[in-house]
Amino acid sequence: MSLRIILLGLIVLLGGCSWMPFSGGNDTFVDRSPRLSEVVADLPELDLRRQAAARPSREEVVAAYERVYGLLADRRENHAVGKRLADLKMSLGEDLDIAGAEAPYAGAVSLYESLLENSEGEGKDEILYQLARASDVTGDTAAAVSYLDRLIAGYPDSRYIVEARFRRAEIAFSENRYQEAEGDYGFVVSLGDTTAYWRNSVYMRGWSQFKLGDLEAGLTSFFQVIDSVLTDPDAGTLPTTEQELLSDSMRVVTLTLGYLEGAASLAAHMNDLDRPHWQYLVYEALASDYLDKERYLDSVATWQMFVDENGLDARAPSAHIGMIETLIKADFPSEIHPKKVEFVNRYGVFSQFWAVHDAAVRDGYLDKLHEYLGELSKQAHAEAQSSGKRDDYLLAAEWYEQMVATFPLDPATAEYHFLLGEVYTEAEEHGRAVAAFQRVVHEFIDYQRADEAGYAAILGLSRLAESAPVEEQELWQRLKIDAQIEFALLFSADERAAAVQGAAADSLFALGEFAQAVELAQNLLNTWPEAEPALRESALLIAGHGRFELGDFVGAENAYQRLLAMNLDAAERSDVQQRLLATVYKQGEASEAAGETDAAVAHYLRLQEIDPTAELAVQGQFDAVAVIESTGDLTGAAVLLTDFRQRYPDHELGNGIDARLAAMYEQTGDVAGAAAEYVNLSVSADDVEVRRQSLYRAAELYLQLDDANTALVHFRDYANTYPQPADLRLEAIHHLDLLYQRFDDGASRRFWLAKKIELYTDMGRAPTERATYLAAEAQLVFAEDERAQFDLVRITHPLQKSLKRKQQALKKTVAAFEAVADYQVAEFATASTFQIADLYSELSRAIMNSDRPGGLSELELEQYEILLEEQAFPFEEQAITLHEINMRRSWDGVYDDWVKKSFDELRRLMPARFDKQEVEVAYVETIY
């Protein structure tokens, strides 16, 4: 092979060489080779046309370098070629060493030592490194350490310092010089995990610390190794070497913890490391180590420490399970139960752990949770049944609650709900018991004891309703009713179903929910027709009463009729009959309200057929009268009302019958019948006012019948009995006045005329116009009586004596007429004025017509005549004056018969003034 080819290969090797077999690291090679430009330039040209030879072997390369080494003028370049040559010989020595050659590294070591002696310092660290390496490989540990010491001491910044420290540490550890080894390992560790020797240094440093008895520091180192191996929590299976490193680290960790405080020391380190994700593996390794050594309590304590320190860690349940299984293996039953309780409390459905983790985590321990809950609930239930204590039952309930909440789809969930209801019932937590039982009914209807759960819920609601505050009782009662209805519907074949539905109907009726109560009662009768009599009787009562309240009186009557067909005792029968009467009566009312009068009367009157002595039968006939009366058939109403009075003469409804009949008779024109009823009322009525009015009306009706005698009797009784009201008494007196005139009983008449005047006087300053008129009229009668007396007195001789009597009669009569005028009633004022004037005229005429004394001469007679005229004239003048008063009243519009008479008298008395004939004046209607 030509030198050019060898050098070309050398150049290639020099250009690509970066391998440091001893270091095993990734350090970049620094090119310190000699400048070969001149050497290459002096070589002959390479014949490129020749086929390229194969790659040169290392022996050929070494031979090529040997030919070059020492020929270079530049000392530095020559040194670089020598160093490269030593490296190549070192590499070649490795192959020779493998082949079993003797002293395979001698050439390399000799060249390195030569280079070291001739070197002026540049690259010495590398030469020392290679010498140390070669010494180590040849087993000359002392020489290797010597070279390493020189390198470390002289070249602290060398790129070989890390490996040098590591190699020296390795040698020191192998020679049990642990303190020195720990120092060099510590140096490498302090540089961080960027070097290739960091992990091994950490690991060996841990061992050094362990050997030195610094166990805490050793743990720290081993935990660093573990952390470096398990950097990725999601990594899969580790490579074999790393797995071995991890296993060995775990072994020494458990060994170390065994010398320390075990789990407590582990927990302290894990806290310092901020609880790394791999901590569970260490706890597991320690717990397993204890278990293998049958140190059960230490194993349990280790698991407990993990749980206590990492309660929310996803692997806490596994640790807890490990603790329980260790206790089971160790056969410590007294410790197992508390740990299972703790397990459920820590990881159950109501725990914080459950809340922060998803289903993927929970799935890992659900089977154990189910197992433990089942054991704890059954055990607690059994203990509660044994002790009978409320708190024990509540504890069992807690476990059952967790069981059903955690495993709602478990096949045994229905059973757990049922048991939950039972323990709550025993603990007198009836509200919770009802909720549990009703979940069985609503969610597990096919459960074999669903009917028992439904009935138990009803019993629980009954207790709640009984014990609830007054304001809440109706709410619980309604919930109970709902449960009863549901029970009867879902479990109709149950022997208790009919009674339960009957109770619900009864409760609804009590609450006023009549429609639903009736529906349930009717459903009971239809669904369970063979139910016991008492139950059917109750249902019929509810149906009857409920329909009655709802206004379905026909339906209510039907229910009551069915009840009466049953075997009831006397009291029950009486009550039902009363109810039946009420329904019939209500039908009458309903028909009446609808305007169906014939039907209303029929309903009212058929009450007599049921029980004629019943109060409603009485009321019904009475109301029938009103209905007939409302149609206008007063005759028929009166007949029925008369029958009512005959049937029930002492009934309180009969109190107004007389008045009612009287009114009916009046309206139908039966005046005699009405009058008779009013007479009865005037005596029998409790109210004085009614008696008064009835008496007066009876008198009026008899007067209408022209039964004057009977009318007079009743008017007289009225006038004598009822002074008030005064105006009506006055009218009664007036009727007596008129009636006595018919009988020509002047004396009796004048008695009542005097009563008219007396009544007027009693009115004082505010008499009525009617009273004034009648009093004036009565006074006129008395004045006319005086006039009659006046007319009876004759003027006879002797004149003076008879004239005096006449004048006295005149004075009384005038006074009587003046009393009439004082009432200021125009009709009677003109009459009294005329009468007084006429009295004076009459007196004047009486004087002139009086007897003349006998035996008078003609002159004496003439003188006597003159004397009479002188006596008579003033009276005539007075008469004219009074007639003129009446005349002037015509100017005010008063022109009655008395005024007319006054005009006639004035014409007679003063013809020249008043007796003039009218002169007719002709006129035409057309104007031309």
Side-chain angles (χ1 to χ4, degrees), residues 198-199 203 222-233 235-247 249-250 277-278 281:
W198 180 84
R199 180 184 288 170
Y203 176 76
F222 288 121
F223 288 143
Q224 283 183 286
V225 175
I226 295 171
D227 188 65
S228 71
V229 173
L230 300 175
T231 302
D232 184 1
T237 304
L238 295 172
T240 302
T241 54
E242 292 204 348
Q243 182 61 53
E244 290 176 354
L245 179 61
L246 177 63
S247 299
S249 297
M250 288 290 186
H277 66 88
W278 45 262
L281 297 176

Side-chain angles (χ1 to χ4, degrees), residues 577 581 605-619 621 647-648:
Q577 187 159 306
L581 288 166
L605 293 182
R606 71 188 179 95
L607 292 167
Q608 298 284 342
E609 301 171 7
I610 299 171
D611 183 2
T613 64
E615 185 64 26
L616 278 178
V618 178
Q619 184 69 52
Q621 182 170 350
R647 285 176 179 268
Y648 313 108

Side-chain angles (χ1 to χ4, degrees), residues 437-616:
F437 286 131
Q438 288 190 330
R439 285 199 66 179
V440 173
V441 174
H442 298 157
E443 300 175 23
F444 308 97
I445 190 62
D446 295 329
Y447 173 58
Q448 60 182 357
R449 291 199 287 175
D451 55 344
E452 292 299 329
Y455 195 77
I458 295 170
L459 297 178
L461 287 167
S462 295
R463 295 187 182 97
L464 288 168
E466 292 168 0
S467 60
V470 175
E471 64 274 12
E472 296 179 9
Q473 286 180 354
E474 182 177 337
L475 171 63
W476 288 111
Q477 184 70 9
R478 288 184 180 276
L479 291 174
K480 174 187 173 183
I481 292 168
D482 291 342
Q484 290 172 321
I485 294 172
E486 182 178 61
F487 181 88
L489 177 65
L490 296 177
F491 311 109
S492 58
D494 191 288
E495 61 182 7
R496 299 164 294 190
V500 167
Q501 181 158 313
D506 189 60
S507 297
L508 283 169
F509 184 86
L511 290 172
E513 301 288 346
F514 303 119
Q516 195 173 2
V518 168
E519 182 181 355
L520 287 179
Q522 191 59 54
N523 177 265
L524 187 156
L525 294 168
N526 296 338
T527 306
W528 298 281
E530 302 302 322
E532 60 184 49
L535 194 55
R536 287 188 290 112
E537 179 184 333
S538 176
L540 283 170
L541 281 172
I542 292 171
H545 296 350
R547 287 192 170 106
F548 183 91
E549 295 294 338
L550 294 169
D552 179 10
F553 304 118
V554 174
E557 181 181 357
N558 176 266
Y560 292 138
Q561 293 286 13
R562 290 177 64 184
L563 273 167
L564 290 173
M566 297 181 71
N567 186 24
L568 306 178
D569 60 33
E572 290 173 333
R573 182 169 297 279
S574 174
D575 181 66
V576 172
Q577 187 159 306
Q578 290 300 313
R579 286 286 186 167
L580 178 61
L581 288 166
T583 59
V584 174
Y585 182 82
K586 284 294 184 179
Q587 289 178 66
E589 285 187 325
S591 296
E592 182 181 354
E596 300 169 354
T597 55
D598 291 344
V601 171
H603 286 310
Y604 286 139
L605 293 182
R606 71 188 179 95
L607 292 167
Q608 298 284 342
E609 301 171 7
I610 299 171
D611 183 2
T613 64
E615 185 64 26
L616 278 178

Side-chain angles (χ1 to χ4, degrees), residues 355-368:
V356 300
H357 289 290
D358 58 16
V361 173
R362 297 181 205 138
D363 287 344
Y365 66 90
L366 277 181
D367 288 344
K368 285 295 182 182

Side-chain angles (χ1 to χ4, degrees), residues 699-851:
E700 285 184 318
L701 292 175
Y702 280 118
L703 189 61
Q704 183 178 336
L705 290 168
D706 201 27
D707 185 351
N709 287 316
T710 307
L712 186 146
V713 170
H714 293 312
F715 276 128
R716 183 175 60 206
D717 288 345
Y718 183 92
N720 287 328
T721 305
Y722 301 107
Q724 295 297 329
D727 57 345
L728 204 60
R729 181 169 184 256
L730 177 62
E731 294 302 326
I733 292 172
H734 183 58
H735 281 300
L736 289 171
D737 174 16
L738 298 175
L739 288 168
Y740 279 119
Q741 289 185 57
R742 291 175 63 179
F743 293 126
D744 196 21
D745 185 349
S748 296
R749 181 194 180 204
R750 279 159 178 75
F751 173 82
W752 293 109
L753 289 174
K755 290 295 183 181
K756 286 184 181 181
I757 296 171
E758 180 183 328
L759 194 150
Y760 167 82
T761 302
D762 290 342
M763 290 182 179
R765 296 182 178 182
T768 63
E769 185 176 340
R770 176 69 171 166
T772 303
Y773 181 89
L774 293 178
E777 184 183 49
Q779 184 61 39
L780 181 61
V781 173
F782 287 119
E784 289 174 345
D785 288 344
E786 292 296 333
R787 172 65 185 267
Q789 293 298 320
F790 171 81
D791 291 340
L792 291 175
V793 177
R794 295 184 59 79
I795 299 176
T796 59
H797 189 74
L799 178 62
Q800 188 172 3
K801 185 176 180 180
S802 61
L803 183 58
K804 185 177 181 179
R805 289 197 304 272
K806 193 71 169 178
Q807 287 176 327
Q808 288 175 344
L810 174 66
K811 188 179 292 185
K812 287 179 66 177
T813 304
V814 168
F817 280 113
E818 285 180 344
V820 174
D822 287 342
Y823 289 106
Q824 299 182 1
V825 178
E827 177 182 348
F828 300 116
T830 56
S832 62
T833 300
F834 176 84
Q835 289 290 357
I836 293 172
D838 191 58
L839 283 170
Y840 284 114
S841 294
E842 178 61 27
L843 181 58
S844 176
R845 289 192 297 274
I847 291 172
M848 294 305 298
N849 296 328
S850 62
D851 295 337

